[in-house]
């Protein structure tokens, strides 16, 4: 029985999304896996964005390593994946998304990986006797694997949930435990959609990014490495352009309408 793990930490240094505790989470999980769970250090891959000596946790790198883990997994293996960083939600036209949003983890380059992407990556495991543990230490993580049932929904005995601790009380608790200010990361790990759009806009030289052009912007920035949702959009756009190019260029009365209707049909199929 093999055991392999991927530990991902994104602090987003120097950006408006900057966090402070995510790299610490990686080292804590590495220690737990090696000392308590029987994982060999050589079978634990680490991606962090604060040290160039390590593989950077870009969308491309994360998806490539996850796919490699899935492909190489044998019956009886244990896979462990941990992500610590920002989570976000982006608009979705998938009718199965009841809230019309895709949940997503935010790699260091903002090439987001949606719940739909993760479902596609992990789907081949259904044909294998492999156990996968996926820990998403970020906001919007409850349905990050797009499963139908939420495993943890709160107290099971009917009692009220415990009171929620606020930032002030957590600061007091950490201080009592001897933690310094530098050790404390109290920032929300949800990246608002507005901030996400602003960061993408900055990467595109100030070009406006909004709901209407989010997918095309992602595809423009990351090409074939962008989310499957963006790739679907690009595929339909390409189909539309090819269809338009093949339409006969008719002159005179009654011509010229076919290409427009063809484009509309293809865009409708894309959910645009």
């Amino acid at each position: 029985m093999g055991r392999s793990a991927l530990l991902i930490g994104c602090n987003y240094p120097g950006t408006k999304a900057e966090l402070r505790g995510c790299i610490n989470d990686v080292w804590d999980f590495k220690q737990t896996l090696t000392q308590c769970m029987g994982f060999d250090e050589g079978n634990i891959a680490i991606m962090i964005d604060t040290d160039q000596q390590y593989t950077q946790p870009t969308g491309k790198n994360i998806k490539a390593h996850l796919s490699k883990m899935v492909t190489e997994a044998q019956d009886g293996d244990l896979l462990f994946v941990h992500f610590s960083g920002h989570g976000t939600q982006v608009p979705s036209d998938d009718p199965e998304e009841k809230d019309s949003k895709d949940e997503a983890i935010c790699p260091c380059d903002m090439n987001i990986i949606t719940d739909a992407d993760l479902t596609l990556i992990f789907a081949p495991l259904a044909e294998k006797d492999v156990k996968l543990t996926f820990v998403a230490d970020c906001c919007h993580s409850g349905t990050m694997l797009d499963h139908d049932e939420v495993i943890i929904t709160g107290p099971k005995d009917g009692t009220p949930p415990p009171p929620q601790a606020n930032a002030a009380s957590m600061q007091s608790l950490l201080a009592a435990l001897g933690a310094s200010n530098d050790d404390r990361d109290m920032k929300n790990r949800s990246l608002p959609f507005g901030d996400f759009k602003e960061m993408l806009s900055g990467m595109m030289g100030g070009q406006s990014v909004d709901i209407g052009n989010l997918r095309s912007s992602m595809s423009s920035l990351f090409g074939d490495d962008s989310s499957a949702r963006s790739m679907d959009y690009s595929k339909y756009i390409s189909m539309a352009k090819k269809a338009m190019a093949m339409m006969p260029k008719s002159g005179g009365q009654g011509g010229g309408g076919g290409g427009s209707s063809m484009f509309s049909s293809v865009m409708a199929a894309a959910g645009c």
Side-chain angles (χ1 to χ4, degrees):
M1 177 177 67
R3 300 169 186 254
S4 60
L6 172 61
L7 308 181
I8 307 160
C10 296
N11 272 357
Y12 317 99
T15 73
K16 68 180 306 178
E18 186 167 6
L19 296 171
R20 291 193 297 177
C22 300
I23 310 306
N24 295 338
D25 294 339
V26 167
W27 304 134
D28 287 344
F29 265 103
K30 179 184 178 184
Q31 184 176 25
T32 299
L33 291 176
T34 54
Q35 296 185 7
C36 305
M37 305 301 295
F39 279 71
D40 189 309
E41 186 171 338
N43 293 328
I44 299 176
I46 291 176
M47 295 187 186
I48 57 176
D49 62 354
T50 56
D51 189 337
Q52 293 297 321
Q53 296 183 66
Y54 291 89
T55 300
Q56 295 302 288
T58 63
K60 177 181 179 179
N61 289 341
I62 293 172
K63 287 186 288 187
H65 195 89
L66 290 177
S67 297
K68 180 174 180 288
M69 291 175 70
V70 170
T71 299
E72 295 180 351
Q74 302 294 321
D75 287 349
D77 285 356
L78 299 178
L79 305 182
F80 185 91
V81 179
H82 163 254
F83 173 82
S84 184
H86 276 302
T88 192
Q89 290 180 307
V90 294
S92 172
D93 53 21
D94 185 345
E96 295 185 3
E97 292 286 359
K98 296 179 181 179
D99 61 355
S100 299
K101 296 177 181 177
D102 280 325
E103 285 69 46
I105 60 175
C106 299
C108 67
D109 62 347
M110 291 298 147
N111 184 8
I112 58 172
I113 302 175
T114 68
D115 47 9
D117 294 325
L118 293 171
T119 297
L120 288 172
I121 291 172
F122 292 130
L125 291 180
E127 306 298 323
K128 303 179 180 182
D129 181 20
V130 174
K131 292 184 178 179
L132 166 70
T133 298
F134 183 89
V135 179
D137 187 356
C138 62
C139 280
H140 311 297
S141 60
T143 56
M144 193 61 74
L145 291 185
D146 234 5
H147 50 279
D148 294 327
E149 299 180 4
V150 178
I151 306 304
I152 301 175
T153 59
K156 301 299 182 183
D157 56 3
T159 58
Q164 298 298 304
N166 56 34
S169 61
M170 288 300 295
Q171 291 276 16
S172 298
L173 174 61
L174 290 171
L177 293 174
S180 68
N181 287 330
D182 291 339
D183 294 329
R184 306 175 195 172
D185 180 22
M186 306 298 294
K187 190 173 181 180
N188 192 322
R189 292 193 180 183
S190 172
L191 184 67
F193 183 56
D195 289 351
F196 173 59
K197 292 188 300 179
E198 185 177 334
M199 293 180 72
L200 289 181
S201 176
M203 295 165 66
M204 299 184 69
Q207 179 179 322
S208 177
V209 176
D210 214 324
I211 294 176
N213 67 347
L214 176 63
R215 294 183 182 184
S216 60
S217 298
M218 294 287 294
S219 180
S220 175
L221 280 169
F222 304 112
D224 292 345
D225 299 316
S226 61
S227 167
R229 295 287 198 219
S230 300
M231 290 304 297
D232 286 344
Y233 176 89
S234 297
K235 177 181 69 177
Y236 284 115
I237 290 294
S238 178
M239 289 170 56
K241 289 181 177 179
K242 289 180 180 179
M244 290 289 287
M246 294 173 63
M247 291 298 295
K249 299 183 182 299
S250 57
Q253 295 181 354
S260 177
S261 62
M262 174 72 77
F263 183 80
S264 299
S265 298
V266 175
M267 294 304 291
C272 303

